[in-house]
Amino acid sequence: MAQVTLPDWFKEARVEPCLTGSKVKPPNFIEKNLNNIASFMREVVSLEEYAAKSGVLQSLDTRARITGMLAIVAACSITSRFAMLAGVFVILFLMMLISGVSFMALARRVLPSFVFTLALAFPVFFNFMTPGTDALKFFDTPVKVSITYEGLSTGLFFMMRVTSMVSLVALLLLTTRQADFFKGLRTLPVPPLFVTALFMTFRYIFILLKIAEDSTLARKSRTIARTKLSESQNWFASRITLILKKSMNMAEEVNMAMASRGFAGRIKTFDNGRMRGRDYLWLGFSSFVLFLSFGL
Amino acid sequence: MNEEVYKIEGVSFSYGKLFALKDISFSICQGESVGILGANGTGKSTLLKMLNGLVFPTHGSIKFLGTEVSEDALRGDFLRCFRERVGFVFPEPDVQLFCPTVFDELAFGPLQLELPREEVKKRVESLLEMLGIAALRDRAPYTLSSGEKKKVAIASVLSINPDVLLLDEPTNGLDPRTQVWLFEILQRLKELKKTFVMSTHDLSLVEDFAERVIVIDEAHTIAADGPATKVLSDKDLLLRANIIHEHTHRHGNITHIHSHGPFSTHDEHE
């Protein structure tokens, strides 16, 4: 093998000292995204912490847990009464307590959707969206702007409904191991191919996110000058394209791996075990809540 | 002479105008352990995928127990016979692990082959014990370490109890302890007269495990096919095929040029 000859510039020693003490610059667009992705990944992995606890919800059969929770979610979407939603919040709070889930853990997962819902519902509070009796008047001229009782009622109801539904689903996911969740879905009348596709999306998104994270760190390790936002955004877009290509290659390889082990278009899986008395009790209770939502 | 398992005749495979393999012909008999050696991009993985009926030759034919491995054949009754006899361990375990738990992963193959549920459970439990991965039973595969993923990937193929094992870079990224674990498992399976086709860069594994070595050169053709001892002792061949390389370094005032792999000695002073 030919001997490697190093160019002269490679041999020059660096003599200047490293500068320190300058003002610390805030993270740029890429770094912020990277941090968000990394924290999301860490959070999802740590979800199993509550699922591993020996709480009441955790002790239920996964099928019963999913079906019962979905029944209460359906009740929230059907009801048109504040009292019903308030009742669901009480149930949610009790379930949280008896399942060993901390309020903060649940609140952290519900907060983004709460903020989003608030942003959506915000105009509904005002007289120009929901005319009615003024609850709080800001000004009359040149146009009247006020919050109305009717707007408050509609907006708050909408927010309560969405928050209760999101909280129920968040509690379900917190108290259910991901593996059990997908197994539970498989035994419900959901098409197996759909559940498999859903699981695989969840499974492989992490690998692709890891590629994205590594790619960003590799860039960061070689970036000295501060890049323009537009440059960062262009680079980010090019990485998304790369990840899309990688995901297509991976989909092909996974398909081959499945075919190699006998998959021929229809997934065959194990059935879950039998449900116990407490599972039926929970299903009865959640069905009762659903029943009440029609009348209340 | 043992029964001929594979007969590969004049096989070529191309991605558009780029050839991955050119005019490859060889046979593999039952109970043989064959190492496929070649530099990166010579078509080793493509060859293994063809042997597993995942991609098909653009020219030539591959026969498994006398039946051509073609797309049409794998849509018929031959599919079950082929899939339960041939197992493929992918180089990247993440690709191969797509079930919610390790248990489900091991059960996937036998369930697709419609084995009775009780038999599947028995197989999976005994494999978990045999491979020392029972503690991983209910873990999600993505939470495992690289070595554990590889163990589960191998177990997921072994649960089908294939007669032929195709292994693509089996020691890639494994720590030394897991490499020894893998070697011991393969040795035990070899005693059962299973057939192995292994593509690897790990010359020590080939030296210890394979009786026969096929070298694919950078022209994507077979450069050598013969007993492992003979092929691995042909230094010029291995250098030409870019499987070993020469390396220069210094000890004080003495410069050494020596090769890596089976010819790693310090007697070639310059």
Side-chain angles (χ1 to χ4, degrees), chain B:
Chain B
M1 178 98 176
N2 285 336
E3 186 186 6
E4 190 175 71
V5 179
Y6 275 111
K7 188 167 181 66
I8 292 103
E9 283 182 309
V11 162
S12 297
F13 185 87
S14 60
Y15 296 97
K17 286 181 180 174
L18 287 175
F19 272 94
L21 289 166
K22 265 187 207 167
D23 198 22
I24 301 279
S25 297
F26 62 91
S27 299
I28 295 173
C29 292
Q30 191 205 328
E32 261 194 307
S33 300
V34 182
I36 311 271
L37 293 178
N40 290 338
T42 47
K44 303 186 299 295
S45 294
T46 306
L47 177 61
L48 288 189
K49 280 178 184 166
M50 286 201 287
L51 294 180
N52 197 221
L54 299 173
V55 294
F56 301 93
T58 36
H59 293 287
S61 72
I62 295 178
K63 284 183 179 160
F64 178 77
L65 299 176
T67 305
E68 185 167 348
V69 182
S70 64
E71 282 186 277
D72 286 343
L74 289 175
R75 282 195 208 104
D77 295 338
F78 179 60
L79 176 73
R80 188 193 162 98
C81 154
F82 185 70
R83 291 288 174 228
E84 66 184 1
R85 282 171 174 76
V86 184
F88 184 24
V89 179
F90 281 69
E92 176 54 66
D94 270 322
V95 163
Q96 210 174 329
L97 305 179
F98 43 75
C99 292
T101 66
V102 168
F103 184 92
D104 292 328
E105 203 64 68
L106 269 63
F108 183 86
L111 283 175
Q112 307 321 301
L113 296 172
E114 294 178 327
L115 263 64
R117 299 291 201 253
E118 281 311 307
E119 168 68 16
V120 175
K121 278 185 185 165
K122 212 171 84 184
R123 273 192 189 193
V124 174
E125 296 293 357
S126 56
L127 254 181
L128 287 168
E129 284 300 324
M130 181 187 113
L131 301 179
I133 51 173
L136 310 178
R137 190 182 188 282
D138 295 319
R139 294 263 302 273
Y142 71 87
T143 63
L144 306 177
S145 69
S146 305
E148 289 170 338
K149 279 181 188 171
K150 195 73 175 187
K151 286 180 181 182
V152 175
I154 290 168
S156 72
V157 172
L158 291 183
S159 64
I160 302 168
N161 191 21
D163 299 330
V164 180
L165 260 171
L166 309 171
L167 301 134
D168 195 354
E169 304 287 358
T171 52
N172 206 8
L174 293 185
D175 60 43
R177 191 188 297 168
T178 315
Q179 286 188 27
V180 171
W181 172 90
L182 176 67
F183 182 74
E184 284 172 1
I185 293 291
L186 295 180
Q187 283 291 3
R188 292 301 308 277
L189 294 171
K190 205 172 164 182
E191 289 164 15
L192 301 174
K193 300 282 175 213
K194 291 199 183 286
T195 309
F196 291 89
V197 184
M198 180 192 297
S199 131
T200 183
H201 290 116
D202 187 344
L203 291 181
S204 60
L205 180 68
V206 174
E207 200 173 14
D208 292 340
F209 188 74
E211 292 117 22
R212 178 179 161 200
V213 170
I214 295 173
V215 177
I216 302 179
D217 59 20
E218 289 175 308
H220 310 285
T221 57
I222 291 184
D225 180 357
T229 45
K230 188 180 167 204
V231 174
L232 293 176
S233 61
D234 190 342
K235 184 181 168 185
D236 288 338
L237 166 75
L238 299 182
L239 275 170
R240 267 200 321 276
N242 200 10
I243 293 162
I244 58 168
H245 68 102
E246 282 186 327
H247 160 80
T248 310
H249 70 152
R250 291 178 69 84
H251 290 302
N253 293 325
I254 303 167
T255 301
H256 293 283
I257 297 179
H258 68 88
S259 47
H260 278 176
F263 306 98
S264 181
T265 56
H266 266 186
D267 56 359
E268 298 163 58
H269 296 182
E270 192 179 68

Side-chain angles (χ1 to χ4, degrees), chain A residues 227-242:
Chain A
T227 49
K228 286 182 197 165
L229 181 67
S230 60
E231 271 180 337
S232 295
Q233 285 171 337
N234 285 342
W235 182 84
F236 200 66
S238 75
R239 293 304 90 184
I240 288 172
T241 313
L242 174 82

